[in-house]
Amino acid sequence: MPKDDGIGASTKRREDVRFLTGNGKYTDDINLRGQAHVHFLRSDVAHGRITSIDTAAAEAMPGVLKVFTSADFASAGGLPCGWQVTDRFGQPMQEPKHPILAEGKVRHVGDPIAAVVAETHEQARDAAEAIEVDIEELEPVIDMQAALADGATKVHDDLSSNLCYDWGFVEENKEAVNAAFESAAHVVSLDLTNNRLVANPMEPRVAVGDYDPWGDMHTLYTTSQNPHVIRLLMGAFVLSIPEHKLRVVAPDVGGGFGSKIYHYAEEAFCTYAAKVLKRPVKWTSSRSEAFISDAHGRDHKTRIELALDADHNFMAIRTETYANMGAYLSTFAPSIPTWLHGTLMAGNYKTPLIYVNVKAVFTNTVPVDAYRGAGRPEATFQIERLVDKAARELGVDPIELRRKNFIKPEDFPYQTPVAVVYDTGNYHATMDKMLELADYAGFEARRAESASKGKLRGFGIAHYIEACGIAPSNLVGQLGARAGLYESASIRVNATGSISVYTGSHSHGQGHETTFAQVVADMIGVDASSIEIHHGDTSNTPMGMGTYGSRSLAVGGSAIVKATNKVIDKAKKIAAHLLEAAPEDIELKDGKFSVVGTDKSVDWSGVTLAAYVPHNYPLEELEPGLEETAFYDPSNFTYPSGAYGCEIELDPETGKIDILRFIAADDFGNIVNPMIVEGQVHGGLAQGIGQALLENCVYDDQGQLLSGSFMDYAMPRADDLRGFTVDHSCVTPCTHNPLGVKGCGEAGAIGSPPAVVNAAIDALHRAGHTHVTHIDMPLTPARVWAAINS
Amino acid sequence: MHNFEFVKPSTVADAVAVLANAEAQPFAGGQTLIPSMKARLNAPEILVSLTGIAEMNGVRRDGGALVVGATTTHAAVARDAASHFPALAALAGQIGDPAVRTRGTLGGSLANNDPSACYPAAVLGTGATIVTNAREIAADDYFQGMFTTALDEGEIITSVRFPIPEKAAYAKFLQPASRFALTGVFVAKYASGVRVAVTGASEGGVFRWAEAEAALSSGFDADSIGRLSHPSDGMIADLHGTAEYRAHLVRVMTQRAVRAAH
């Protein structure tokens, strides 16, 4: 049994008390004395040349402090890209400038052209309407394949084309892969789209810039998943503010799902304008603005092919993907379709040869970057749809085809042909667990019952692999990352024994304040209520990389373990002095230090007090105080995996799909807080099912966003989701981090879309609609009906 | 949102007098008007709230008819019409979400005449009478195309008189994002015949499906229209469905309404 509030306990989330009672402190809750407000004038055309901007009338409007255009940012840099991809030919990607305010051209609907700062937001908005902008409209570049055609209009005049890069992985495998396809007994192929999504966190983005001339200090309060990254990128590359003069604070943040990783123009604007105007400057995004200024997700078009031998062993996989970058490179955009996608193309299977080709394309749309799962959902969707299609074409059971080709438990550690080494896993176990929980044996009876009501029942399966906690830093540096991917922690033990933990991870819904406290409480043996977790402020936490890619516990938690161990080591030396014993004879248990084999002991607070009131203390050997910092750089990714089962009922008259059961059997390694893990899986499933059935970000051929509000962008609602069966009893601990944990934040969003689509195809095939081999997401009623009647 | 003046008269006559000002707009639940004002697509100088006029609010039985005041909210109709005209109450209970239903009103919905709104189907499907400050308008004359009605400038709906049918039901297929009707069909059976009104499907707004009415009037049975198909000409085509899909749903939802009618 886990200790109360220790590792393994379903401790209730302590942060929820303030969130649920209205006491959360979000960026929009920060209002500084003398604060002014900015409104951005954004382009309403997708592509055009700015021929003139006249701000005179706006400058004269009531309350206006200043109207900014790109001319005000002549000395500033563009928003930097944090990852440089090298193409198939050894050349760096094309990397256009991303200005804070549009320079010469507008490149997507929503591109900021000018910014008005006024006493109130309403005044700023009124004045923005008085700005006269002349734009010579240019042909918009929307379709990715058309964007790459000879003579296509260029999004960036100074680039050679709209191709960001043409990436091959593993390029050296290409010929061998092609040869495998030549000799294959069976080849199965599938063309598919991974639909473009809008993250839509509950809290829209907000930025407050502040400047204190007394110390020449800048402060930015922002809705960020990684304030240190923003400080580094904005300080060093955009505004030339050294880190010791720049503090970035990300207080309570209401969800991010990736969209709050990136450094955005509005952050740099507010920081800069605050200094120019000597006034705090605030921007709060409206929901409409979020649709056209937050980075979007996914948006891949892919052909994937699988070669099998006569015994149905997988021989090779070959893919060609077009990945939409949008109009500019968002902070980590180039890495998503490459290193976070190509490296996962082995899935859970022993496929000896894999070649992945990705063409990243500039279009006149909002930039695209990581969104919950980031590259891994795209890889999983391709593989799991294709394996299902292969089973149908070969006339074999999709479960057996998977089992036959699974990497077996004894094969770990397993070197894939796409560079990564899976440390642990047991895919047969998760598959068995899922089928048991799904009562798969009883499916046929349930299907007959549905059929009696005129409904088509189907069961869809997907098995995913994901890679969390991208690392190690020296490897990702070779792959083009312009950042490290370690994490930091400081443990500050206070004199009376309470503990302040400063983590470089950032919680925006994940429950770190609860989970991290459980880890420290368990290690030291003190009550979790005596531990406070601090995050999100660069002025008090060591340089950290933040939270994304399901890395917080695996990387940030490991840094906390490392720092806590340093604290315990020093505390044992102090205890040894107090107990007049050797440090190696001291053991710490349940918050008490004792000399092994004796009844001599001193409790935790006795040691901590001695550290800060060192009257009886080995000062010649040991510094006073009890505070340690650690940085943890993982030696590998972690590799969670799981089997997902989705049982649906499809109404053939309308095409509507109802999900009746959804079963997730995940292997997350060791679990610190089962309740929080379950919640994370629920959230991921809701987003994955949202992608599969409802959500779609659609531009028309003029680059206007057709799904620019919740009237047309369908978010999943509670009544779309009947509840989930979530299990994480299959455990193969991670072998290379101290907690043996893997990461659970994105799994649901990665594994569920192919399970849902496979269920729909299964329902249709069982009912004889065998001409339907694929339907692109989202599987709206209209699309399903059209497919049945095609 | 731009600034505006807010008045809340207590009589219809006072409201009509203020609305003579060209810069004034009537305001009931605000479920369409407020978002359009926030988006700066609409900027009235005077908002005339109609919710303080007692005679425009509430549900009452008048012989074989149910009279619903124009400012009665969807939530109130869902509650107070249930024992008199369950199909109308059920329709009101499916509009939007609880927040929308506690603010949105019958009159506001009809004056706006959104082509995907639910209430127009009930009003046209029952042949109801729209009562205004100036006259009574038959449903068949009232709806004149999407967002277009027979109302004159400054004319306000005060109530709607629904003849209570022998049997009726509303079958709504949801647009997945907005949850307006992608296609919604109201079927009502009277001694004199059956009426079928369709919302959400047509570029012309709510309309009656004459062939289905004829077939159902001779036999009120879902199978009697199983072979009918509505043409796709003039149907709405958008992100959520093609014209062909909506035309197909017209028949499917009509059949479902017939089966559900009680």
Side-chain angles (χ1 to χ4, degrees), chain B:
Chain B
M1 194 184 289
H2 293 285
N3 208 355
F4 56 87
E5 194 185 328
F6 184 81
V7 295
K8 194 169 182 179
S10 56
T11 67
V12 172
D14 287 351
V16 170
V18 185
L19 286 166
N21 185 331
E23 301 304 323
Q25 279 189 30
F27 172 75
Q31 295 305 293
T32 302
L33 183 58
I34 297 292
S36 74
M37 288 171 67
K38 287 171 80 174
R40 297 190 165 198
L41 299 171
N42 198 338
E45 288 183 9
I46 307 167
L47 273 192
V48 185
S49 171
L50 304 176
T51 58
I53 303 169
E55 65 187 273
M56 285 177 64
N57 191 264
V59 174
R60 69 184 168 83
R61 184 74 180 245
D62 181 9
L66 193 71
V67 180
V68 181
T71 62
T72 311
T73 63
H74 311 326
V77 172
R79 184 184 64 236
D80 298 338
S83 59
H84 306 286
F85 188 174
L88 181 70
L91 174 147
Q94 291 175 54
I95 298 172
D97 54 32
V100 168
R101 291 195 288 274
T102 49
R103 292 292 308 171
T105 68
L106 170 64
S109 173
L110 295 179
N112 190 47
N113 192 21
D114 187 303
S116 300
C118 297
Y119 266 134
V123 170
L124 189 61
T126 56
T129 301
I130 289 102
V131 181
T132 78
N133 60 300
R135 55 184 168 146
E136 297 197 348
I137 309 171
D140 285 319
D141 301 325
Y142 177 82
F143 300 101
Q144 302 190 347
M146 59 164 74
F147 300 111
T148 308
T149 70
L151 289 176
D152 290 328
E153 204 61 40
E155 184 177 13
I156 54 176
I157 303 170
T158 55
S159 66
V160 177
R161 194 165 63 239
F162 293 93
I164 297 173
E166 294 169 10
K167 282 182 172 184
Y170 178 60
K172 175 184 182 181
F173 195 81
L174 299 178
Q175 193 262 51
S178 68
R179 297 202 169 181
F180 274 65
L182 189 71
T183 294
V185 179
F186 196 96
V187 171
K189 181 177 185 298
Y190 294 91
S192 56
V194 175
R195 288 177 70 105
V196 176
V198 181
T199 188
S202 170
E203 290 174 343
V206 67
F207 68 95
R208 286 172 67 186
W209 188 15
E211 287 168 287
E213 290 185 352
L216 291 166
S217 294
S218 48
F220 194 71
D221 179 347
D223 293 338
S224 71
I225 54 169
R227 288 170 184 277
L228 291 186
S229 66
H230 194 281
S232 59
D233 302 344
M235 295 284 112
I236 297 169
D238 62 13
L239 274 184
H240 309 287
T242 58
E244 291 72 25
Y245 182 59
R246 282 185 168 83
H248 166 75
L249 285 181
V250 169
R251 197 258 301 153
V252 171
M253 301 320 282
T254 303
Q255 285 186 296
R256 290 186 182 185
V258 170
R259 286 193 198 103
H262 64 281

Side-chain angles (χ1 to χ4, degrees), chain A residues 582-646:
Chain A
E584 51 273 21
D585 292 335
I586 302 295
E587 84 174 359
L588 170 62
K589 196 172 177 219
D590 296 336
K592 183 181 280 194
F593 297 90
S594 50
V595 182
V596 177
T598 74
D599 60 357
K600 286 168 51 176
S601 68
V602 55
D603 66 15
W604 171 251
S605 58
V607 170
T608 62
L609 192 64
Y612 290 96
V613 187
H615 295 167
N616 177 15
Y617 197 88
L619 284 169
E620 53 288 356
E621 294 154 30
L622 214 54
E623 295 170 18
L626 194 51
E627 175 168 344
E628 298 287 349
T629 293
F631 289 79
Y632 176 78
D633 204 293
S635 61
N636 191 356
F637 296 96
T638 67
Y639 298 96
S641 60
Y644 284 11
C646 175

Side-chain angles (χ1 to χ4, degrees), chain A residues 430-502:
Chain A
T430 39
M431 181 67 93
D432 290 346
K433 175 58 75 176
M434 183 276 287
L435 293 172
E436 173 202 326
L437 293 171
D439 182 23
Y440 187 63
F443 172 78
E444 194 50 45
R446 298 192 296 274
R447 193 188 71 82
E449 189 192 325
S450 294
S452 72
K453 297 182 295 179
K455 299 288 177 66
L456 315 184
R457 198 179 272 246
F459 192 87
I461 292 156
H463 207 292
Y464 74 90
I465 178 84
E466 89 137 314
C468 302
I470 178 170
S473 292
N474 51 6
L475 172 68
V476 297
Q478 287 170 29
L479 303 183
R482 290 162 169 165
L485 284 161
Y486 54 84
E487 199 45 86
S488 68
S490 278
I491 311 287
R492 180 180 298 167
V493 182
N494 303 306
T496 58
S498 68
I499 300 168
S500 305
V501 177
Y502 297 84

Side-chain angles (χ1 to χ4, degrees), chain A residues 365-436:
Chain A
T365 63
V366 168
V368 179
D369 208 324
Y371 166 73
R372 200 169 193 166
R376 293 150 290 173
E378 293 90 323
T380 302
F381 187 71
Q382 293 168 49
I383 297 163
E384 290 302 298
R385 280 290 302 119
L386 185 65
V387 170
D388 226 64
K389 187 163 185 270
R392 287 187 199 291
E393 288 186 12
L394 299 171
V396 298
D397 180 354
I399 299 167
E400 290 315 310
L401 185 63
R402 284 180 171 86
R403 280 196 176 118
K404 181 182 182 69
N405 286 280
F406 272 162
I407 300 159
K408 295 182 172 48
E410 60 269 26
D411 295 333
F412 294 93
Y414 179 78
Q415 171 72 59
T416 73
V418 274
V420 294
V421 179
Y422 302 162
D423 59 344
T424 54
N426 186 341
Y427 312 143
H428 295 79
T430 39
M431 181 67 93
D432 290 346
K433 175 58 75 176
M434 183 276 287
L435 293 172
E436 173 202 326

Side-chain angles (χ1 to χ4, degrees), chain A residues 518-543:
Chain A
Q518 287 178 253
V519 171
V520 177
D522 197 276
M523 290 178 70
I524 297 176
V526 293
D527 196 298
S529 65
S530 68
I531 300 165
E532 196 70 24
I533 307 295
H534 300 271
H535 62 84
D537 186 342
T538 62
S539 71
N540 64 17
T541 55
M543 172 92 180

Side-chain angles (χ1 to χ4, degrees), chain A residues 649-672:
Chain A
E649 213 171 52
L650 189 157
D651 179 349
E653 262 194 329
T654 63
K656 186 165 187 336
I657 291 171
D658 282 320
I659 295 180
L660 304 182
R661 298 164 169 230
F662 200 102
I663 301 95
D666 293 292
D667 174 1
F668 294 135
N670 295 332
I671 305 281
V672 172

